[in-house]
Amino acid sequence: MNKASSWVAMMVVALMFASQPCRAGLFDNLDRSSETEYLVRLTNGELLTGTIVDIVDDANEGKAIKLKTAIGVAKIFEIQVLEITNVDDAYRQSNRVYFLPTAEPIGNNHYVGNQELFVWTAGIGFWDYVSVNMMRSTLPWIGSQYQFSHLNVKASIYRQEYETMKGHMNLALGGTLSWLNSANRFSDVYLTATYTRVRSRLTGMIFMNMSGGNRNDGLDGFQVFAGNLGQTIINYPAGAVGFALGLDTRFPGYQDFHVLAELWNGNLASAYNTAFLLGLRVANSSVSMDFGMVAFTTPIVIPVCAFTWTPF
């Protein structure tokens, strides 16, 4: 086992121990306000949402909450509850669609994950507004100098609550630094906005390439090598301005199922540099799984998948 694999294995083990739930005191500090809606996940897998009207203490069964749901008031004992959280905080993947970063900060929703089986990802939040995302490929049949690395840092600089409806709007500024092989480094700056409603988040981004290419024929773009797999040219000229749109919407009546959609254009001067993603996300407060397809104007269609763990 190499050093990178050992580091990943130790991180996973540490997170497993750190993320073990403690059910004692689940009902402490709950808000009985009629405006605070909670999501309750029972030990049998059932999900309930509603507001807390009372907290009682039974001499034999222990503490219980009376949860007002859409079909009546349910009495739920602490021993029956696996997790209880504010509905607004239950979805912990709001900082990203699939590839597209939203304007929402990571906050305390730090995560580790994997995309396409060979790309490791991680996200860390600092304070309430700075987010750092990292990616590193580990393709087993090519050398480390041909691997892909990516660093994204964003600052969520503004949040506005809607006055006439439930939801809010966020703005964020960010920058990325990426390596397509060790010799191909390029960077972008971007501005993104996310509009959040009860079930959906719509994100729009505009970005600019701040670096030149490395082609030896004098043209803009990057010449990317993949060891024995060959090489290719990526046309991404210096100063190119692109945009992206992303939609993350939850199925009505299903808390754990989301539809994801993204549209990317890397250069507004060329409609040919466009890609579209459509996918499905299954997520709870600890784990998310994404599956979908990406269509390029090349034309090429490839499957995508991602697994993310948010243990804390």
Side-chain angles (χ1 to χ4, degrees), residues 60-80:
N60 297 320
E61 300 290 342
K63 285 187 177 181
I65 57 172
K66 292 184 178 180
L67 188 73
K68 184 179 180 181
T69 69
I71 58 174
V73 177
K75 186 177 182 181
I76 306 170
F77 290 97
E78 192 171 37
I79 196 172
Q80 298 175 295

Side-chain angles (χ1 to χ4, degrees), residues 10-22 309-312:
M10 287 188 293
M11 174 180 285
V12 169
V13 171
L15 289 173
M16 287 178 65
F17 282 103
S19 63
Q20 296 302 310
C22 178
W309 187 22
T310 310
F312 302 113

Side-chain angles (χ1 to χ4, degrees), residues 25 37 90:
E37 187 176 13

Side-chain angles (χ1 to χ4, degrees), residues 40-218:
V40 182
R41 190 182 304 274
L42 303 182
T43 54
N44 63 5
E46 186 176 353
L47 286 174
L48 298 173
T49 58
T51 57
I52 296 173
V53 297
D54 198 9
I55 301 177
V56 298
D57 198 346
D58 187 278
N60 297 320
E61 300 290 342
K63 285 187 177 181
I65 57 172
K66 292 184 178 180
L67 188 73
K68 184 179 180 181
T69 69
I71 58 174
V73 177
K75 186 177 182 181
I76 306 170
F77 290 97
E78 192 171 37
I79 196 172
Q80 298 175 295
V81 177
L82 183 64
E83 177 186 24
I84 181 168
T85 184
N86 190 311
V87 166
D88 294 336
D89 300 327
Y91 186 57
R92 306 182 66 189
Q93 292 77 31
S94 62
N95 60 85
R96 64 195 184 278
V97 185
Y98 186 87
F99 297 110
L100 179 64
T102 70
E104 300 271 358
I106 290 178
N108 292 323
N109 299 324
H110 320 294
Y111 68 87
V112 293
N114 180 275
Q115 292 183 353
E116 310 305 309
L117 302 181
F118 297 110
V119 179
W120 297 97
T121 64
I124 304 173
F126 297 93
W127 306 289
D128 292 327
Y129 58 92
V130 176
S131 304
V132 178
N133 303 81
M134 298 162 283
M135 302 175 66
R136 172 68 175 177
S137 67
T138 54
L139 291 166
W141 49 81
I142 64 175
S144 61
Q145 70 272 28
Y146 300 124
Q147 300 289 349
F148 165 74
S149 300
H150 178 74
L151 174 66
N152 175 28
V153 180
K154 72 178 180 185
S156 299
I157 58 175
Y158 180 75
R159 177 184 173 107
Q160 175 65 55
E161 299 289 338
Y162 301 144
E163 295 183 359
T164 59
M165 56 186 176
K166 186 175 181 179
H168 58 271
M169 183 269 290
N170 283 74
L171 287 176
L173 289 171
T176 66
L177 186 61
S178 304
W179 289 264
L180 293 172
N181 312 146
S182 58
N184 300 313
R185 185 180 69 182
F186 64 94
S187 58
D188 294 88
V189 293
Y190 63 84
L191 171 67
T192 184
T194 298
Y195 301 88
T196 300
R197 288 285 286 116
V198 176
R199 292 192 296 109
S200 301
R201 288 173 177 83
L202 177 63
T203 298
M205 172 192 286
I206 185 167
F207 56 91
M208 176 183 289
N209 179 17
M210 302 298 292
S211 53
N214 70 335
R215 292 176 61 174
N216 53 21
D217 54 8

